[in-house]
Amino acid sequence: MKNIKKVKQYIADSAFLLEHFKNNMPTIHKIDDGKLNNVYMLTLDDENITPLLLKHFPEFITEEKRKIFMPKKRELFEYKGLQSFKEATPRYVPTPYLLDEQNQLIIMEFIQNAKSFKELINTKADLKQTLSSLAEFIAANINATALDTKKISQEFLESEMQHYIFESLFIVAPHILAQSENLKKNVAFLQKRFFSQETFTHGNLQQSSILVKNNSIFVLDYETFFIGPLGFDTGRFLSSVLIDYLFYSRVDAVYANHILATTSEFLEKVLRKTTSKKEEFISDIFGFGALYIIQHASYLKIQNNTPKAFSDTLLNLAFAILEHLKELKNMQDLTQIMRKVL
């Protein structure tokens, strides 16, 4: 569904959409989704009718004239993720309306006039309230679902999607083999932790997946949904914030300090509000966060459009975290490592 003409035909043939928009054809806008999915906003000039998002999941993406096939049933994972997180944390998740597996798409609530968390950082906005809300979201999900994962269909346990994430994350092994025995031991620990079936896991909780509107947040993009370790999502998000901190530490020390201070408060709140196993949770957060930093640094090196010194700093930080993983208990410990690296 790569063009608006096909979307119009789909709407005309959809009983749900015709009823929702009262037999009117909505205005259709295509939304950029990083060349991965085909995403459209459907709106009508009527404040009583909820704007919708139509998200189509193609089987493959084309990159440099190559077809890259994606995990199957991404629309099912997105819809089930939305449903599961909506039930656990209703304040923070848009409403899912329709799953159409035949056409590989879902329809969900569209959040209008919102900014992504990435936009907040790019404009040097205050992050305190947003990070506080995100901590509430993460803790509420863990506390609500840690004991309910057995209710999930076997389809979402060690799924193709989970193995896809595992392979993309632990492809950093060649880098790690050159490091110490202690680091390799800690990575092996994380490989085992990755398949812990403990809580609903977003799978790719990064800044572009978090929308902010009127001091409220909404978390999107659940196509990487799986049942995983307690601290995976927190670690994934932490990695993206630490990368921004390291960037701003070179160009704006004041805002860099704001990122670090509010992130410390965020992590303290997550740990304070969760009732699950603390030791594994903390190791997950810092360990998976470090692996994502390595992944990002490797990507920067391939793109070759970022100073080598920056990607090297990211790698050095990630290796230091993995080396001392079992010693890290809080953000203060992490800050000491960052100071040594910087």
Side-chain angles (χ1 to χ4, degrees):
M1 201 167 294
K2 293 185 177 181
N3 58 60
I4 290 179
K5 182 178 180 181
K6 289 185 177 181
V7 176
K8 285 184 175 180
Q9 186 59 55
Y10 182 83
I11 294 171
D13 294 337
S14 169
F16 167 77
L17 290 173
L18 288 174
E19 180 181 359
H20 182 85
F21 290 112
K22 300 179 180 179
N23 291 314
N24 295 300
M25 179 59 66
T27 301
I28 306 169
H29 296 285
K30 189 165 187 177
I31 299 174
D32 179 45
D33 192 43
K35 300 180 181 180
L36 184 59
N37 303 307
N38 302 313
V39 183
Y40 300 90
M41 175 179 65
L42 312 179
T43 61
L44 207 59
D45 190 17
D46 185 335
E47 62 182 17
N48 296 316
I49 297 180
T50 303
L52 299 180
L53 192 77
L54 186 153
K55 189 171 183 179
H56 170 247
F57 301 82
E59 293 182 1
F60 61 85
I61 59 174
T62 303
E63 189 174 279
E64 297 179 354
K65 298 182 179 180
R66 295 183 301 129
K67 287 183 178 180
I68 301 176
F69 284 87
M70 306 300 293
K72 297 176 181 178
K73 298 185 177 182
R74 287 186 295 131
E75 69 282 353
L76 175 62
F77 283 83
E78 173 99 13
Y79 193 76
K80 189 62 181 180
L82 280 165
Q83 280 189 322
S84 300
F85 276 84
K86 183 69 174 178
E87 182 177 352
T89 58
R91 290 172 50 197
Y92 304 109
V93 181
T95 302
Y97 287 110
L98 179 71
L99 167 66
D100 183 344
E101 292 187 77
Q102 181 177 351
N103 288 293
Q104 297 174 283
L105 63 82
I106 68 162
I107 296 171
M108 57 183 280
E109 176 188 6
F110 177 72
I111 309 299
Q112 287 186 300
N113 304 317
K115 292 184 177 182
S116 71
F117 187 90
K118 185 63 177 175
E119 289 178 274
L120 295 187
I121 284 193
N122 288 344
T123 56
K124 301 182 183 180
D126 190 303
L127 305 176
K128 187 179 180 68
Q129 179 58 50
T130 301
L131 285 174
S132 178
S133 296
L134 184 62
E136 294 276 0
F137 164 77
I138 291 172
N141 171 63
I142 291 173
N143 292 337
T145 69
L147 300 178
D148 292 337
T149 54
K150 292 182 180 178
K151 297 179 181 178
I152 296 294
S153 165
Q154 191 67 29
E155 195 168 16
F156 298 96
L157 301 176
E158 296 197 22
S159 63
E160 180 184 352
M161 176 59 72
Q162 188 170 2
H163 282 280
Y164 175 83
I165 297 170
F166 178 87
E167 290 171 8
S168 67
L169 189 59
F170 287 97
I171 201 170
V172 300
H175 296 292
I176 294 168
L177 290 176
Q179 307 301 312
S180 73
E181 288 299 319
N182 191 50
L183 188 148
K184 286 188 283 186
K185 178 181 177 182
N186 288 336
V187 170
F189 163 79
L190 291 170
Q191 288 178 317
K192 185 177 180 180
R193 283 289 302 154
F194 183 81
F195 289 101
S196 302
Q197 298 171 358
E198 295 173 333
T199 189
F200 296 157
T201 304
H202 182 285
N204 193 25
L205 187 61
Q206 57 179 320
Q207 297 172 14
S208 60
S209 301
I210 302 163
L211 295 184
V212 183
K213 180 179 179 180
N214 299 331
N215 290 324
S216 298
I217 68 163
F218 298 89
V219 180
L220 314 176
D221 301 332
Y222 293 86
E223 65 189 82
T224 48
F225 171 72
F226 68 98
I227 310 302
L230 293 169
F232 187 88
D233 282 343
T234 310
R236 174 66 184 99
F237 177 75
L238 180 65
S239 72
S240 65
V241 179
L242 291 180
I243 290 167
D244 279 320
Y245 164 74
L246 291 173
F247 170 78
Y248 275 108
S249 67
R250 296 164 178 259
V251 297
D252 188 336
V254 173
Y255 195 64
N257 289 335
H258 172 72
I259 292 174
L260 191 60
T262 52
T263 302
S264 296
E265 293 174 6
F266 154 77
L267 188 55
E268 288 172 6
K269 186 172 183 177
V270 170
L271 294 173
R272 187 172 66 250
K273 284 187 167 288
T274 50
T275 56
S276 301
K277 299 173 287 187
K278 297 296 184 186
E279 185 174 345
E280 292 90 341
F281 191 22
I282 292 171
S283 294
D284 288 348
I285 292 170
F286 292 127
F288 290 117
L291 290 173
Y292 270 109
I293 291 173
I294 294 173
Q295 185 186 79
H296 186 75
S298 302
Y299 173 79
L300 292 179
K301 284 180 176 291
I302 293 172
Q303 293 296 305
N304 199 29
N305 58 5
T306 304
K308 181 177 180 296
F310 183 67
S311 54
D312 286 345
T313 298
L314 293 179
L315 287 174
N316 290 336
L317 172 61
F319 290 145
I321 293 172
L322 291 172
E323 177 73 36
H324 301 283
L325 183 60
K326 297 301 178 68
E327 303 165 28
L328 294 171
K329 304 301 180 185
N330 49 47
M331 277 296 293
Q332 286 73 27
D333 294 340
L334 178 61
T335 301
Q336 289 183 5
I337 287 180
M338 288 194 293
R339 285 172 179 164
K340 292 178 181 178
V341 170
L342 292 175

